[in-house]
Amino acid sequence: RPALIRCLWALSHLCFAVHPLAAQTVGFRHFDHRDGLPQSQVTALLEDRNGFLWVGTLDAVARLGPNGFKAYGAAQGLRARDVSALLEDAQGGIWVASSTQGISEIRGSLVRNYGPSEGLTVQEVFSLAEGPEGDILAGTRLGLFRKTVQGQRFEQVALAGAWRFTPILSLERDAQNRLWLGSRRGMVGYLEGSNVHPVPLPQPWAEEPVTHLQKDPQGRLWAVLRHTLLRLEGSRWNVEPLPNAKSPL
C-alpha cells in the first residue's frame, strides 16, 4: 500500500527530527514468517504501553514479544483482518480497524468484532482514535462513528455539512484534547460539537488528501500528505522539509 508506506516513511523522518540520531549507530533486524509474522505486507504499526510492537497486515495482527510474534487472525476470532489502523485504549485494549471488515477489539485473550449488527453499518474503516471520555472513534468511508465506554454499539456521528458522509482518512487528538479529522481534497480540521472547524492546508497542497495525523511527544500536531509533511503552528500549517521528497507541482 503506497500511501501507508509513504506515511510510515514520513513519520520515521519525524522521529528523527524529534530525536536526532547523528551520534548513534542504528541497527535493523528483518522479521518474516519464520519469526511468526502472519503475512508479509505490513499496513499498520503500534507500540503499546508495555513496549510490545503490534503489526497489522493484510491477513492478521501480530504482537512482537520476547519469543517472537503471537498472531491474532481468523483462528482467534479476529474478523478485521485487512488492517488499516491500530489503537491502544486507556485500559490497554487493542482496537483493529479493517478497510473491508469493520473493527475488532483484542482484550487479553478475548476478541470481539464490530459490524452492522453492532451499529457499524460502514465496514470500510480507515482510522481510529480515543475520545477524552474513553469513547472509541472510527473514521470510515462514510463519515465518523462512535462507541461510548458504556455502550455496546457504534453510532454514526451527525457531522455538519460536507463532513457527514465524507471519508475520514485520519483521526488524532491534539494537546488540547481536540479531535482532528483529515480527509480527501485537503479537508482537515478539529471537531467543535457537530461542526468541523477547518484549518486549510497551504498552497500548493490545498487539494491533497490528509492520509495521516500524528501528535508527537512534545504535543505538536503533524499531517502527512502524499509527498509532504506539515507541522501545525498556531492556526497555520508549515512545511517540514524532507530529503528527496517530490514536489506536487
Side-chain angles (χ1 to χ4, degrees):
R1 297 194 177 181
L4 181 67
I5 292 171
R6 286 193 294 270
C7 169
L8 297 175
W9 169 79
L11 289 179
S12 70
H13 284 79
L14 167 59
C15 293
F16 293 153
V18 174
H19 301 291
L21 299 176
Q24 302 181 34
T25 301
V26 180
F28 293 92
R29 178 182 171 187
H30 177 75
F31 294 97
D32 58 25
H33 66 281
R34 291 169 292 186
D35 303 286
L37 192 65
Q39 210 264 348
S40 61
Q41 292 182 268
V42 175
T43 56
L45 295 170
L46 169 72
E47 183 180 1
D48 69 21
R49 67 187 65 193
N50 297 314
F52 293 117
L53 182 67
W54 292 79
V55 181
T57 74
L58 294 182
D59 188 57
V61 176
R63 187 191 72 176
L64 178 60
N67 300 316
F69 285 99
K70 174 181 173 57
Y72 294 83
Q76 290 74 35
L78 190 83
R79 190 167 62 203
R81 293 164 55 198
D82 190 0
V83 180
S84 54
L86 296 168
L87 171 74
E88 181 183 21
D89 66 26
Q91 286 73 45
I94 303 297
W95 295 79
V96 184
S98 167
S99 59
T100 58
Q101 296 166 311
I103 293 174
S104 294
E105 174 190 3
I106 302 172
R107 200 164 295 278
S109 60
L110 300 177
V111 175
R112 181 176 182 184
N113 298 303
Y114 296 87
S117 298
E118 294 75 31
L120 190 65
T121 54
V122 181
Q123 292 290 277
E124 300 92 340
V125 184
F126 305 131
S127 52
L128 294 168
E130 185 175 15
E133 305 300 323
D135 298 355
I136 300 300
L137 298 145
T140 78
R141 180 177 59 84
L142 292 174
L144 185 66
F145 283 73
R146 174 189 286 124
K147 190 190 83 68
T148 64
V149 175
Q150 295 80 15
Q152 302 298 313
R153 296 172 54 83
F154 278 87
E155 295 181 354
Q156 187 161 19
V157 179
L159 300 178
W163 281 94
R164 179 159 191 175
F165 298 112
T166 292
I168 308 297
L169 305 180
S170 49
L171 293 169
E172 180 64 295
R173 283 167 53 194
D174 66 12
Q176 290 77 46
N177 266 335
R178 298 178 300 188
L179 179 69
W180 285 75
L181 300 83
S183 185
R184 59 190 179 185
R185 302 192 65 179
M187 295 176 65
V188 61
Y190 57 87
L191 193 61
E192 289 184 322
S194 62
N195 296 299
V196 178
H197 180 80
V199 181
L201 301 180
Q203 293 292 347
W205 300 279
E207 292 294 311
E208 289 209 20
V210 181
T211 60
H212 197 83
L213 293 165
Q214 181 69 47
K215 181 176 64 178
D216 71 18
Q218 284 71 44
R220 299 175 297 183
L221 189 69
W222 300 72
V224 178
L225 312 183
R226 284 196 181 98
H227 305 292
T228 309
L229 184 63
L230 303 177
R231 182 180 68 254
L232 185 68
E233 293 188 0
S235 59
R236 295 182 57 186
W237 294 102
N238 291 329
V239 178
E240 181 70 22
L242 293 173
N244 303 320
K246 297 180 181 179
S247 169
L249 299 178

